[in-house]
């Protein structure tokens, strides 16, 4: 089976490699209605082996925003970001933030109107308890007739201790990727952490002068949709997975289930008693598994083996060409997934028939 102009060839160890194919258009997706009854046989969609997932570039988490300011020109953006590259922290520097090349020497990797950018952050941290203890030891050793140190003296000593210990702190690095989709005027972040989204947005705002966005799924009652799907049936194109998290808003209790054929009678009983679904695993078009959260973010995103099929073809040995092919496949798949999620989350909630 061909998908989105690519084929996948099996390599040693069960891994797969994407290959370019020359197709004028992508095939029309086939929608399958999810099965809501437990007694129905469930399809098994194998997840790509872990060793393949490490090489296959695909966002593991996803938070989608709608861009309210004009989409930046990608050529100009590349020049702007390359002027602010990431630099490792100096010995007494707490944090360093900057941009990393997304592909080769390019700080903006564009495929089909979607540009991927990468923000790198490094921090050195010394536990606050260690700083306080060392500061107290130094103040006691200094002693003298000054008596109990004042708050200002204690704060100054803690600052001095921090500067002394920072060079010994092990630096930790982390990356946050984002894709600016000019065709849909959206921004996709590969994280569900609000602080990481805000950090990258702040850097873009400083670089571009204007940058404003709002959550794409900010007004829908997603929890009610998830509960209705689990009580009734999932929407067209989606199937219920094997994991969920329920919350009781009255008591604050939670129930987490995993590797369980849903809907399960015990889970259904909790829903009938008033609990709500906070997270639900879904399978989209037999191609992508993910957890949809009540805040609109996606987690545990895993492409299934149905995302591509066995096909002979020339193997792409160049790493940059392979990442370019990966990104093209991911962008096309996520565009259609986001479009389908927008459709079903904006639709009226169907009452349960069970």
């Amino acid at each position: 089976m061909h998908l989105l102009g690519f084929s996948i060839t099996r390599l040693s160890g069960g891994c797969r490699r994407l290959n370019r194919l020359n197709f004028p258009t992508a095939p029309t997706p086939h929608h399958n209605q999810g099965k809501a009854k437990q007694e129905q046989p469930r399809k098994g969609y194998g997840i790509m082996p872990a060793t393949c997932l490490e090489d296959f570039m695909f966002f593991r988490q996803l938070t989608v925003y709608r861009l309210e300011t004009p989409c930046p020109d990608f050529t100009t953006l590349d020049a702007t970001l390359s002027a602010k590259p990431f630099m490792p922290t100096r010995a007494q520097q707490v944090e360093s933030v900057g941009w990393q090349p997304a592909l080769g020497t390019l700080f903006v990797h564009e495929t089909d109107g979607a540009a991927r950018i990468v923000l790198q952050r490094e921090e050195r941290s010394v536990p606050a308890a260690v700083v306080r203890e060392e500061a107290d030891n130094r103040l006691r050793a200094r002693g003298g007739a000054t008596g109990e140190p004042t708050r200002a003296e204690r704060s100054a000593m803690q600052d001095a201790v921090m500067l002394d210990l920072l060079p010994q702190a092990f630096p930790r690095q982390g990356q946050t990727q984002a894709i600016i989709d000019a065709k849909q005027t959206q921004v996709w972040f590969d994280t569900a952490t609000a602080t990481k989204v805000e950090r990258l947005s702040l850097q873009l705002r400083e670089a571009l002068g204007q940058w404003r966005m709002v959550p794409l799924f900010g007004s829908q009652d997603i929890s009610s949709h998830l509960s209705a799907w689990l009580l009734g049936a999932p929407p067209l194109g989606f199937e219920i997975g094997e994991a969920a998290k329920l919350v009781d808003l009255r008591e604050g209790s939670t129930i987490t289930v995993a590797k369980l054929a849903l809907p399960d009678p015990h889970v259904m009983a909790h829903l009938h008693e008033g609990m709500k679904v906070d997270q639900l695993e879904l399978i989209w078009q037999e191609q992508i598994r993910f957890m949809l959260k009540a805040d609109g973010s996606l987690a545990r995103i895993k492409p299934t083996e149905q995302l591509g099929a066995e096909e002979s073809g020339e193997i792409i040995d160049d790493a940059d060409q392979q990442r370019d092919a990966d990104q093209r496949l991911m962008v096309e798949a996520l565009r259609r997934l986001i479009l389908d999620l927008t459709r079903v989350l904006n639709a009226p909630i169907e009452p349960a028939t069970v």
Side-chain angles (χ1 to χ4, degrees):
M1 181 180 72
H2 298 145
L3 178 68
L4 309 177
F6 296 91
S7 68
I8 293 185
T9 299
R10 184 174 296 278
L11 303 178
S12 60
C15 291
R16 298 176 169 214
R17 183 182 297 277
L18 294 170
N19 306 307
R20 298 176 184 274
L21 296 176
N22 295 319
F23 284 97
T25 58
T28 302
H30 177 67
H31 293 271
N32 291 318
Q33 179 71 30
K35 305 300 182 183
K37 302 300 182 182
Q38 185 179 4
E39 63 270 17
Q40 293 289 341
R42 304 181 68 85
K43 298 179 182 178
Y45 305 119
I47 302 299
M48 287 187 181
T51 53
C52 302
L53 285 172
E54 292 174 359
D55 297 328
F56 181 44
M57 187 192 74
F58 210 97
F59 283 6
R60 303 293 180 255
Q61 302 181 81
L62 183 67
T63 306
V64 185
Y65 285 76
R66 185 178 71 252
L67 191 58
E68 292 195 324
T69 49
C71 185
D73 175 77
F74 293 152
T75 301
T76 303
L77 180 62
D78 183 85
T80 302
L81 300 189
S82 64
K84 299 181 179 180
F86 168 77
M87 300 293 291
T89 54
R90 297 184 296 274
Q92 293 183 329
Q93 186 178 6
V94 175
E95 180 188 55
S96 177
V97 179
W99 301 100
Q100 285 278 56
L103 184 74
T105 60
L106 297 175
F107 282 75
V108 174
H109 176 207
E110 186 269 335
T111 57
D112 192 26
R116 182 172 57 89
I117 56 179
V118 182
L119 184 70
Q120 180 93 1
R121 177 176 179 262
E122 181 177 278
E123 68 170 345
R124 293 174 181 266
S125 62
V126 180
V130 174
V131 174
R132 288 195 300 268
E133 182 179 359
E134 178 62 20
D136 290 343
N137 291 338
R138 293 187 185 186
L139 288 170
R140 282 195 297 269
R142 188 178 65 180
T146 57
E148 185 71 17
T150 65
R151 179 177 298 180
E153 290 175 331
R154 191 179 299 276
S155 177
M157 181 60 75
Q158 290 179 358
D159 290 342
V161 169
M162 175 66 77
L163 290 176
D164 290 342
L165 296 183
L166 266 180
Q168 306 173 37
F170 186 77
R172 296 182 300 174
Q173 291 190 358
Q175 287 186 347
T176 303
Q177 298 185 86
I179 286 182
I180 304 172
D181 186 0
K183 288 189 174 181
Q184 303 296 328
T185 61
Q186 295 172 354
V187 189
W188 312 339
F189 296 88
D190 73 333
T191 179
T193 305
T195 54
K196 293 182 179 180
V197 171
E198 179 58 31
R199 183 182 299 120
L200 194 149
S201 298
L202 177 62
Q203 294 297 318
L204 281 176
R205 192 176 300 116
E206 292 178 354
L208 300 174
Q210 58 175 350
W211 180 263
R212 187 171 65 256
M213 60 186 191
V214 295
L216 183 64
F217 306 121
S219 59
Q220 300 89 342
D221 185 358
I222 297 178
S223 179
S224 294
H225 279 283
L226 298 179
S227 300
W229 298 346
L230 195 51
L231 284 169
L236 187 67
F238 293 86
E239 298 179 42
I240 302 296
E242 300 177 336
K245 179 180 178 181
L246 311 184
V247 296
D248 189 327
L249 301 179
R250 299 162 299 182
E251 300 179 0
S253 58
T254 63
I255 296 176
T256 301
V257 297
K259 297 183 179 180
L260 180 68
L262 297 174
D264 175 80
H266 299 289
V267 173
M268 302 288 279
H270 286 297
L271 291 177
H272 286 300
E273 291 173 359
M275 296 193 77
K276 291 286 188 179
V277 180
D278 185 65
Q279 300 178 23
L280 181 63
E281 184 183 46
L282 298 170
I283 305 167
W284 172 76
Q285 301 288 4
E286 304 181 359
Q287 297 175 12
I288 299 177
R289 280 182 176 267
F290 63 95
M291 291 287 290
L292 179 57
K293 298 183 177 182
D295 62 4
S297 63
L298 280 64
R300 304 182 195 174
I301 302 174
K302 296 179 181 179
T304 74
E305 291 186 340
Q306 300 298 318
L307 190 60
E310 303 292 345
E311 188 70 30
S312 60
E314 181 181 356
I315 294 178
I316 302 176
D317 293 322
D318 182 81
D320 286 349
Q321 291 184 14
Q322 187 62 55
R323 291 187 68 83
D324 182 80
D326 288 351
Q327 180 168 313
R328 290 179 184 275
L329 179 61
M330 179 180 69
V331 165
E332 181 63 25
L334 290 183
R335 270 183 182 152
R336 294 193 292 121
L337 171 58
I338 293 169
L339 185 63
D340 280 356
L341 281 175
T342 303
R343 169 179 57 83
V344 300
L345 292 177
N346 286 328
I349 298 176
E350 296 291 339
T353 57
V354 295

